[in-house]
Amino acid sequence: MIAPNWQPIEALPFIAGMLDDQLHSVRQQVENLERARHRPGVLDSETVSRLQAVFGEQQDLLPVFREQLVRWLELPLDEHQRLEINRLNAVLDQMQDAIRRILSVAENRR
């Protein structure tokens, strides 16, 4: 694995936007899979393999994002920055739960 490129605190708005977008996408995928779960043949083996690859990779990156947040919390921060970092920790928790659901549905379709 390539060493992470840790970001300065000035990247907080960019990282926040990226994580918010990813959470939205992951939630949409959960909804799509819940609908597809009841339609035979929609989740073929190729689709399941792709889901496992993409969301397995996203799951593997969550600890890197979490470490970035921990590193930022060690800096002198203003109240807004600290609140935003705490919010992003909650976003990562939600992403983790949604990704687990996706991988569980994919695994159960094998």
Side-chain angles (χ1 to χ4, degrees), residues 43-93:
L43 294 177
D44 60 26
S45 61
E46 185 177 321
T47 302
V48 168
S49 292
R50 181 75 178 136
L51 286 169
Q52 289 176 319
V54 169
F55 290 98
E57 186 176 306
Q58 278 193 11
Q59 186 176 44
D60 291 345
L61 288 174
L62 293 178
V64 176
F65 284 112
R66 216 164 295 266
E67 177 64 24
Q68 177 66 73
L69 299 180
V70 167
R71 288 169 179 259
W72 281 340
L73 285 171
E74 294 172 351
L75 300 173
L77 302 169
D78 63 35
E79 183 177 349
H80 173 74
Q81 290 168 324
R82 189 166 303 282
L83 288 171
E84 183 68 349
I85 291 168
N86 289 334
R87 184 187 74 78
L88 291 176
N89 265 311
V91 165
L92 289 176
D93 290 342

